[in-house]
Amino acid sequence: LLEDAGYEEAASVAENLRGRLAEPFTAPAGSSAVGTLTLHSSVSIGIARFPDDGPDLSALLRKADIAMYKAKTSGEGHHVYSDTDNADGAARLRTIDELQDAITSDQLILHYQPKVNLDTGDVHAVEALVRWDHPTRGLLYPDAFLTLVEVSGLMRAMTRLVLEMALDQAALWQGQGQDLTIAVNLSASSLVDDDLPDEVSTMLAARGVPPGALQLEITEEFLMADHDRARSILTRLRDGGVQISVDDFGTG
């Protein structure tokens, strides 16, 4: 919180914070044989200014949060200002609020696109495609809301919900004697989520669904963005029996 600060003062403080936190520091590695580890950190900072960006604390925090996620998803991690002063920005904020409700009030649904064996005509797998059954705008496709889900920090919650719905359906089909593999798309932020492999394993076990019945699709572009961390998370998923596939292969 900066008192009586303009944009330049806020940017200067943000730059200073980022510079200080970018300096490497050491931490115990947990074993005297290993010694210490040199750790590096970086921060993404979003800036909102009163009264330009909002009349109260709630609005300012929301806009600063959006700005922070925009900085985070830019790949550069720099600080950015909220640019939600105009009508488009107001509409985005309203949609983000609606998305938060959608995730908790059963407005998100899955459609299943079949994968057909061309030799036999049999459906052997499906791909789960998320749709938003908006109360006033009707059925919305991902291009209408996924970008906002990512920049507003809601992707983790949406990914968990989609996985739960897809695995519920897999369990239902399994109980009917239909052994279908279900593919679910993963976002870029999911590939740096260390908790994802354990949570997927828990979801599968709770429903009695074999891990091989779940296929997680990633794009080549996302895989290359932070390949070391992504490889670690994907390896843990694969070791747990989950299938991994690369979508849009070759385009990155």
Side-chain angles (χ1 to χ4, degrees):
L1 176 63
L2 305 177
E3 297 283 356
D4 300 318
Y7 287 111
E8 291 184 3
E9 290 87 350
S12 176
V13 171
E15 288 283 9
N16 186 39
L17 281 170
R18 292 185 62 240
R20 295 292 185 89
L21 289 169
E23 296 174 6
F25 58 95
T26 58
S31 168
S32 58
V34 178
T36 59
L37 294 174
T38 299
L39 303 179
H40 301 265
S41 66
S42 62
V43 296
S44 303
I45 301 175
I47 301 171
R49 187 184 181 202
F50 172 83
D52 299 7
D53 294 319
D56 53 39
L57 181 61
S58 177
L60 289 169
L61 283 174
R62 189 166 64 247
K63 290 194 176 184
D65 204 36
I66 292 171
M68 183 272 291
Y69 276 105
K70 188 179 299 180
K72 185 176 182 179
T73 56
S74 72
E76 300 173 9
H78 52 71
H79 64 279
V80 297
Y81 288 99
S82 167
D83 62 353
T84 54
D85 316 336
N86 53 30
D88 287 342
R92 286 198 298 272
L93 285 173
R94 184 168 57 252
T95 302
I96 288 170
D97 284 339
E98 293 173 345
L99 274 167
Q100 291 175 323
D101 291 337
I103 291 173
T104 58
S105 60
D106 298 325
Q107 293 179 25
L108 297 182
I109 59 175
L110 296 184
H111 287 180
Y112 296 95
Q113 177 173 283
K115 298 183 178 183
V116 182
N117 184 321
L118 294 181
D119 289 331
T120 65
D122 294 334
V123 175
H124 60 91
V126 297
E127 180 174 359
L129 305 172
V130 66
R131 303 286 186 258
W132 182 4
D133 189 11
H134 194 283
T136 59
R137 297 166 62 189
L139 192 67
L140 300 180
Y141 285 73
D143 58 357
F145 60 89
L146 276 190
T147 299
L148 282 177
V149 170
E150 190 74 80
V151 302
S152 62
L154 294 173
M155 185 57 78
R156 188 178 192 276
M158 179 173 285
T159 298
R160 274 21 177 215
L161 179 60
V162 169
L163 283 168
E164 287 175 355
M165 290 192 296
L167 292 176
D168 283 344
Q169 184 63 65
L172 180 62
W173 280 330
Q174 181 178 286
Q176 297 170 347
Q178 300 287 335
D179 294 325
L180 295 173
T181 298
I182 292 186
V184 175
N185 290 288
L186 284 187
S187 68
S189 57
S190 298
L191 291 184
V192 293
D193 186 348
D194 287 326
D195 294 330
L196 182 67
D198 289 339
E199 291 185 4
V200 168
S201 178
T202 299
M203 290 181 196
L204 288 164
R207 293 162 177 80
V209 173
L214 176 63
Q215 183 178 92
L216 297 177
E217 291 191 356
I218 60 172
T219 66
E220 181 179 324
E221 177 186 2
F222 291 161
L223 181 60
M224 295 171 68
D226 189 351
H227 60 274
D228 288 338
R229 192 167 181 180
R231 179 174 59 186
S232 172
I233 290 170
L234 291 173
T235 297
R236 288 168 57 199
L237 286 164
R238 190 68 186 89
D239 288 346
V242 174
Q243 298 185 51
I244 306 294
S245 68
V246 180
D247 205 4
D248 299 333
F249 181 75
T251 59

